[in-house]
Amino acid sequence: MIRCGLRPDNYSVVSALSACSRTKYLMGGQIVHGMILRFRLGSEPIVGNALIDMYCRNGNVEDAQMVFELMESKDIASWTSLLNGFLMWNDFKSARRVFDEMPERNSIPWTAMITGYVKGKSPVQGLEMFKRMKAEGKDQVTVVTVVSVLSGCADIGALDLGRSVHCYINKCNLGMDVTVNNALMDMYSKSGCLDMALKIFYEMRKRDVFCWTTLISGYAFHGRGYNALEVINDMLDSGITPNEVTFVSVLSACSHAGMLVEGQKLFNRMVQFYGLKPKIEHYGCMVDLLGRAGLLEIAKDFIEQMPINPDVDIWRSLLSACLVHGNLNLAELAGKMVIELEPDDDGVYILLWNIYLTANRQEDALRIRKLIRNRKIKKKPGCSWVEMNGIINEFAAEEKMHHPWTEFHLILKGISEHSKLDGQCLFIE
């Protein structure tokens, strides 16, 4: 178009920038940016927003922020585009700063922040953001919002808040959405209320492959492998074809229930009958299945014969199985592989150190201690959540005494004292 002597307009450059965003073509986006400056097309917010999105998707968030700051006219989409860019690269501090500075907000930035926190493994912050959103009194909650909130509730077992969201879903007539029902099932299953998840499943008028898979995953979470197999058989009888995620769920169920033969049959059926190519998650389930059954050498051979490189989770799974079944030599191999793939994993160093001490290999144990010191490996403190009166409280193992942790600590100390009086052994540190 340029070669033909035609002058681009806002719509043509926005479309070109969108193409550069989708294909991760940074150089092309920079060329279009040059054309925008040359033809003075940057006055409309739509052009600036497209530039921000293009730079963010290509990893140049600093350039995106520069474009944002130079824009003469900004709309709510401009702020949201920059916010999404920071979230895309897990810069939650900058994203929150942009969010707090926004002159106005609709459901999109609220949902973006909630979803970002949940996906970024900070569910408590996501749930706090949802409560703040509701406190402002604006009816801005969408299907995407409630699904993200339910996912956060599932991650930390915030059952009371999850139930409140369920009531809100019914009040807003969002319960007919399949995605919402799947999120509800997942939340109830992970919060210990499998019966409620089943009730939602059987009340659904239409069920897709994700509904069946969520139910199978719920049974797997509760270690009910035979129920999971019954569900997948019912799913096949209903004419629904399982996908890769379905097989991950049912293989996980077999693993947790120790159903080795059934798991092997399902894995072979997935490949031979359904023609699905196993992914790293499927191989991980099989290694876990073999490890739990004590077939450690077979699990090791299985890993070595995989057509794809095993990830750190597969080696961790083998390491755990070796420790359970007392195979210290194989545990040493698995531990070394974990350190090679993830050198900052504090837990593996401690496990190897204990392995060497158990085997009376003092020199090797000392070598691991030196590695921990030289690499400045620090043990990550354990983190727990307690839901009290609908409020999520988060505290770490190394935290100092403060409210509301003080109250929890006093209660636990009281339980400990009573247990000692009863002759039981319970220590609270």
Side-chain angles (χ1 to χ4, degrees):
M1 186 180 79
I2 298 295
R3 289 195 188 104
C4 290
L6 297 176
R7 187 182 189 276
D9 59 10
N10 289 340
Y11 298 102
S12 59
V13 295
V14 167
S15 297
L17 288 170
S18 177
C20 295
S21 298
R22 292 173 182 270
T23 57
K24 301 294 191 295
Y25 184 26
L26 176 59
M27 184 180 293
Q30 290 171 328
I31 291 171
V32 177
H33 192 177
M35 292 179 182
I36 291 170
L37 296 175
R38 177 184 174 185
F39 293 103
R40 298 181 181 179
L41 297 173
S43 60
E44 294 293 329
I46 188 174
V47 177
N49 299 346
L51 278 170
I52 293 170
D53 184 66
M54 185 277 297
Y55 279 120
C56 288
R57 290 182 184 275
N58 282 282
N60 289 36
V61 186
E62 291 182 0
D63 289 342
Q65 188 168 5
M66 188 181 299
V67 171
F68 176 82
E69 291 172 353
L70 293 174
M71 289 175 63
E72 297 178 1
S73 176
K74 303 181 183 74
D75 57 15
I76 192 169
S78 310
W79 290 86
T80 306
S81 295
L82 184 60
L83 182 148
N84 278 325
F86 285 122
L87 290 174
M88 201 179 297
W89 299 98
N90 297 321
D91 187 350
F92 297 104
K93 184 177 180 180
S94 298
R96 185 60 181 266
R97 175 179 53 78
V98 172
F99 179 86
D100 290 336
E101 291 176 358
M102 291 180 70
E104 59 176 328
R105 309 183 189 99
N106 57 20
S107 63
I108 298 176
W110 280 106
T111 302
M113 285 301 303
I114 294 169
T115 305
Y117 277 130
V118 172
K119 289 184 177 179
K121 307 301 181 183
S122 299
V124 173
Q125 286 86 344
L127 298 181
E128 288 175 351
M129 183 67 70
F130 175 70
K131 289 184 176 181
R132 179 181 164 188
M133 177 182 180
K134 291 295 297 169
E136 291 198 0
K138 297 179 181 179
D139 193 14
Q140 301 172 326
V141 179
T142 65
V143 167
V144 179
T145 311
V146 296
V147 168
S148 297
V149 172
L150 289 171
S151 177
C153 293
D155 287 343
I156 63 174
L159 181 58
D160 287 345
L161 181 57
R163 284 171 173 160
S164 299
V165 176
H166 191 179
C167 293
Y168 181 83
I169 288 167
N170 292 333
K171 178 182 177 181
C172 298
N173 296 319
L174 297 175
M176 299 300 293
D177 189 275
V178 175
T179 308
V180 171
N181 282 314
N182 290 342
L184 281 169
M185 289 170 58
D186 183 60
M187 184 275 296
Y188 279 119
S189 295
K190 291 180 178 177
S191 300
C193 296
L194 185 57
D195 291 342
M196 192 63 192
L198 287 168
K199 182 176 183 294
I200 293 170
F201 177 81
Y202 288 115
E203 288 178 352
M204 295 174 66
R205 296 179 182 178
K206 293 183 179 180
R207 305 184 188 117
D208 59 11
V209 63
F210 300 104
C211 303
W212 291 94
T213 300
T214 303
L215 183 59
I216 293 170
S217 180
Y219 278 126
F221 190 81
H222 288 264
R224 294 169 60 172
Y226 288 103
N227 294 113
L229 289 180
E230 290 175 355
V231 172
I232 196 170
N233 289 329
D234 292 341
M235 174 183 173
L236 296 174
D237 291 340
S238 68
I240 302 293
T241 303
N243 59 19
E244 292 93 341
V245 182
T246 310
F247 279 104
V248 170
S249 298
V250 73
L251 287 173
S252 176
C254 291
S255 177
H256 292 162
M259 300 164 61
L260 176 63
V261 176
E262 292 84 353
Q264 290 175 320
K265 287 181 179 178
L266 282 167
F267 184 83
N268 294 331
R269 188 177 184 183
M270 176 186 75
V271 177
Q272 298 170 5
F273 185 79
Y274 291 101
L276 297 174
K277 186 177 181 180
K279 297 182 178 179
I280 194 71
E281 294 84 1
H282 302 104
Y283 289 116
C285 288
M286 291 305 297
V287 171
D288 188 55
L289 190 63
L290 293 167
R292 287 174 186 257
L295 305 175
L296 304 178
E297 291 296 335
I298 295 176
K300 174 178 170 289
D301 294 340
F302 182 85
I303 294 173
E304 292 175 346
Q305 295 170 9
M306 285 168 48
I308 54 180
N309 293 327
D311 63 3
V312 67
D313 291 328
I314 286 181
W315 287 113
R316 275 202 197 98
S317 178
L318 181 62
L319 173 61
S320 298
C322 291
L323 294 176
V324 170
H325 295 283
N327 191 327
L328 300 185
N329 291 330
L330 200 51
E332 183 180 15
L333 169 65
K336 288 180 178 178
M337 293 304 300
V338 173
I339 290 176
E340 182 179 322
L341 293 171
E342 201 168 285
D344 295 329
D345 186 341
D346 59 300
V348 175
Y349 290 94
I350 303 300
L351 285 174
L352 282 176
W353 180 65
N354 285 322
I355 288 171
Y356 290 136
L357 286 179
T358 303
N360 200 27
R361 295 166 58 177
Q362 300 296 333
E363 291 185 3
D364 289 323
L366 183 60
R367 178 173 54 83
I368 293 297
R369 293 292 294 180
K370 287 181 178 178
L371 274 177
I372 294 173
R373 184 170 60 252
N374 294 338
R375 295 184 180 182
K376 298 180 180 180
I377 303 296
K378 292 185 178 181
K379 188 178 185 304
K380 299 180 182 69
C383 181
S384 301
W385 297 279
V386 173
E387 184 181 20
M388 187 170 66
N389 298 327
I391 299 174
I392 309 298
N393 299 284
E394 180 180 17
F395 54 91
E398 296 180 355
E399 274 188 317
K400 302 297 182 182
M401 299 279 284
H402 62 79
H403 181 81
W405 165 236
T406 307
E407 296 180 19
F408 300 144
H409 194 273
L410 290 174
I411 292 171
L412 291 172
K413 290 285 285 185
I415 295 173
S416 179
E417 293 299 325
H418 281 290
S419 299
K420 289 175 183 177
L421 292 174
D422 293 337
Q424 299 177 13
C425 210
L426 176 64
F427 300 98
I428 306 299
E429 297 182 355

